[in-house]
Amino acid sequence: MTRVVLRRLLIAIPTTLAVATLVFSLIHLIPGDPVLIMLGEGAQATDVAELTAKLGLDRPLHVQYLAFLGGLVKGDLGTSLHFGKPVAELLAESYPATFVLALAARRSAISRADSPSNSESSSTSRSAAGSSSRIGRNQEATT
């Protein structure tokens, strides 16, 4: 049991790194300048330069990537540009509702799997299919 848990934890490390790299890449592959999108087309050059520096977009890509990974390791998911709040705080706010939905879905799935009507109907249909195939074989054998 301990080996399985340890193995899964070791597999989680490269998987997490791959997902983080994919997210970082996708963020940077989106067309357009995020600063111009945030400030609008009529933004002053000084405002654009200031926000670019504040977001760290003026640094080389590898430095941005290392800062991104460092933030993830520390639990800093950044600040939502849409809401202006820390992403971790937004996730924490929505977690209770997500947890309730997950419990309800799990309870529903378990009750459907354990219901006698499902197991009876599936076993009845299997036995009916099995008996019809036996009938077909018996008819072939007699002819």
Side-chain angles (χ1 to χ4, degrees), residues 31-137:
D33 184 3
V35 174
L36 287 179
I37 292 170
M38 290 170 59
L39 295 177
E41 293 295 323
Q44 299 289 330
T46 56
D47 294 337
V48 170
E50 183 180 314
L51 187 56
T52 300
K54 180 181 176 189
L55 295 175
L57 298 175
D58 57 344
R59 298 181 294 177
L61 201 56
H62 70 281
V63 174
Q64 291 179 42
Y65 179 67
L66 291 175
F68 174 72
L69 288 180
L72 290 180
V73 168
K74 295 177 199 168
D76 178 14
L77 302 175
T79 302
S80 168
L81 299 177
H82 182 71
F83 294 105
K85 295 170 68 175
V87 172
E89 184 179 315
L90 293 171
L91 290 174
E93 288 173 4
S94 63
Y95 182 76
T98 303
F99 185 71
V100 169
L101 285 172
L103 280 178
R106 183 177 172 100
R107 182 174 290 161
S108 173
I110 290 172
S111 67
R112 286 186 184 162
D114 290 343
S115 70
S117 62
N118 281 344
S119 58
E120 287 175 13
S121 64
S122 62
S123 64
T124 305
S125 63
R126 280 192 298 251
S127 62
S131 63
S132 65
S133 64
R134 277 182 268 156
I135 293 170
R137 279 186 263 141

Side-chain angles (χ1 to χ4, degrees), residues 10-29:
L10 288 174
I11 290 172
I13 293 169
T15 303
T16 304
L17 185 62
V19 169
T21 303
L22 180 66
V23 167
F24 181 83
S25 300
L26 290 175
I27 288 171
H28 283 79
L29 289 174

